[in-house]
Amino acid sequence: GAGVSQSPSNKVTEKGKDVELRCDPISGHTALYWYRQSLGQGLEFLIYFQGNSAPDKSGLPSDRFSAERTGGSVSTLTIQRTQQEDSAVYLCASSLIRSGGEQFFGPGTRLTVL
Amino acid sequence: DQQVKQNSPSLSVQEGRISILNCDYTNSMFDYFLWYKKYPAEGPTFLISISSIKDKNEDGRFTVFLNKSAKHLSLHIVPSQPGDSAVYFCAANNDYKLSFGAGTTVTVRA
């Protein structure tokens, strides 16, 4: 498909375990974003990648969270030593230009930490 | 620090009538505003946007109004259709970051 894809769609893990969430952006999109949506909340910005520039990590809630983007395409969000408050839907988005204009979202990964 | 607020968590409207969704923001540096629509188990999809230099943008049944002095924007959907039932997010741009409201769940009754 031509859209943003994310895997897995659902992830249930035990507290203290590490998880990896994957995002495949739309081909050719240079900007990639990760957001988190907790229950009843809006989308919370986590991290932004643009081309070869250093990522903006200002939204990451703690040092247990990290993300990388390999080859300017696929991105992986890693959460180490998961906590129950990490339970949320993690959304990835990509866009063509370095702009806060229209972003194209994937379906999200629902993470549940028991 | 919630810079974008949607104070109505839900809205119920009869099919054919107007839906009005409201959004308030606090950051005067926002220069672009967007509305996204989200169905369950799907990511948000872009609906309509407006630049801060405009006060109105219309696209078919959807119109967004911006009142910069009041730091307020609204989305009008007319006429409302059953397929419009979804969660609507207001978002505001400052450089490349989007700040989102918590969303309003719209239910269109037949």
Side-chain angles (χ1 to χ4, degrees), chain A residues 52-73:
Chain A
N52 295 320
S53 302
D56 177 351
K57 305 179 182 180
S58 61
L60 295 179
S62 79
D63 59 8
R64 296 186 295 104
F65 288 72
S66 63
E68 61 178 22
R69 188 178 185 191
T70 54
S73 180

Side-chain angles (χ1 to χ4, degrees), chain A residues 14-109:
Chain A
E14 293 180 348
K15 178 181 172 182
K17 296 286 180 73
D18 297 350
V19 295
E20 282 191 355
L21 313 180
R22 177 188 168 105
C23 172
D24 281 276
I26 293 173
S27 177
H29 280 193
T30 57
L32 187 147
Y33 310 77
W34 282 97
Y35 295 88
R36 175 171 74 172
Q37 185 183 14
S38 302
L39 190 64
Q41 303 295 314
L43 280 70
E44 173 191 4
F45 168 79
L46 297 178
I47 189 169
Y48 162 75
F49 295 91
Q50 169 59 31
N52 295 320
S53 302
D56 177 351
K57 305 179 182 180
S58 61
L60 295 179
S62 79
D63 59 8
R64 296 186 295 104
F65 288 72
S66 63
E68 61 178 22
R69 188 178 185 191
T70 54
S73 180
V74 172
S75 177
T76 302
L77 177 69
T78 301
I79 310 172
Q80 296 178 310
R81 304 180 303 281
T82 53
Q83 303 294 313
Q84 288 184 332
E85 61 263 29
D86 299 335
S87 296
V89 176
Y90 290 81
L91 289 155
C92 174
S94 68
S95 67
L96 264 174
I97 56 176
R98 186 185 182 278
S99 165
E102 183 180 355
Q103 297 177 15
F104 296 82
F105 283 83
T109 294

